Amino acid sequence: MLREPHAEDGPAVSALIAASPPLDANSAYCNLLQCSDFAETCVVAESDGRLVGWISAYRPPSHPDRLFVWQVAVAAEARGQGLGGRMLDALIERPALRAVRELTTTITDANKASWALFGAFARRRGATLTRTLRFDRERHFAGAHDTEWQASIAPLAFARSN
Ligand SMILES: CC(C)(COP(=O)(O)OP(=O)(O)OC[C@H]1O[C@@H](n2cnc3c(N)ncnc32)[C@H](O)[C@@H]1OP(=O)(O)O)[C@@H](O)C(=O)NCCC(=O)NCCS
């Protein structure tokens, strides 16, 4: 079952992220804010009462027609079955996100599963994925993190069912 999160999901969300390298672990407080203040743009997937999938996202205040996907995590035992893609589809089809025209995210070069996930999403939507530099290893991370490339997927309006 896919649904919006609530604050009580916070600990399970934090545990799933911690078990999903290479994702950065966030503070428990950060995940609680995502599960509450940003619930409208986040998704949890449950199976037999267990939280097996998570997407955090928000609409950047300067670009409310954009959805920035922060993290996607699928529990190891649930991977490769299309759950990541189904969560992205369910999110973009929410009536509250009707005005969204572009999905953006950032991905490191090495994360092949993530490129495949967002590439497949773009193809399903008949949209184009454009790759640009977002956060540079040296300039933005002081050498402590691989470069994050921004994937921008647009246009989204035409293929939407709402
Ligand atoms: C990335 C992740 C969310 C994908 O979830 P998933 O439910 O397994 O993805 P899906 O089953 O929907 O697969 C989506 C696409 O990715 C491909 N894919 C899945 N795992 C892959 C892998 N390890 N390597 C290459 N491609 C992969 C699938 O074949 C599919 O492509 P297709 O539709 O062209 O066949 C999951 O692997 C994960 O949680 N990884 C750890 C955390 C992470 O890296 N998150 C992404 C960064 S935000």
Side-chain angles (χ1 to χ4, degrees):
M1 185 188 71
L2 306 185
R3 60 168 173 80
E4 288 187 13
H6 42 70
E8 287 68 22
D9 294 314
V13 167
S14 296
L16 178 60
I17 291 170
S20 302
L23 294 184
D24 291 330
N26 309 305
S27 68
Y29 193 78
C30 168
N31 289 136
L32 283 172
L33 291 181
Q34 292 170 333
C35 286
S36 48
D37 283 354
F38 294 89
E40 195 175 77
T41 48
C42 294
V43 183
V44 295
E46 283 181 316
S47 174
D48 296 329
R50 257 175 49 76
L51 196 147
V52 293
W54 164 250
I55 294 181
S56 53
Y58 61 86
R59 293 207 269 175
S62 56
H63 293 284
D65 59 340
R66 248 180 232 168
L67 181 70
F68 177 77
V69 174
W70 183 344
Q71 288 182 319
V72 184
V74 171
E77 73 270 16
R79 287 183 193 161
Q81 299 164 31
L83 179 56
R86 285 200 300 282
M87 289 195 296
L88 281 177
D89 287 341
L91 181 58
I92 206 68
E93 284 165 15
R94 281 187 186 160
L97 301 190
R98 201 183 295 267
V100 168
R101 296 287 174 265
E102 180 178 8
L103 182 151
T104 62
T105 192
T106 73
I107 312 174
T108 58
D109 245 338
N111 198 334
K112 302 300 175 215
S114 194
W115 285 110
L117 174 71
F118 286 97
F121 173 81
R123 281 197 301 280
R124 277 199 303 285
R125 301 274 145 187
T128 302
L129 186 157
T130 310
R131 174 179 156 140
T132 52
L133 181 76
R134 176 74 186 266
F135 297 125
D136 178 68
R137 179 183 183 85
E138 299 306 327
R139 209 153 28 102
H140 299 111
F141 289 117
H145 188 295
D146 287 343
T147 294
E148 291 277 354
W149 296 90
Q150 177 159 297
S152 304
I153 300 170
L156 290 177
F158 301 108
R160 305 263 290 283
S161 56
N162 51 63

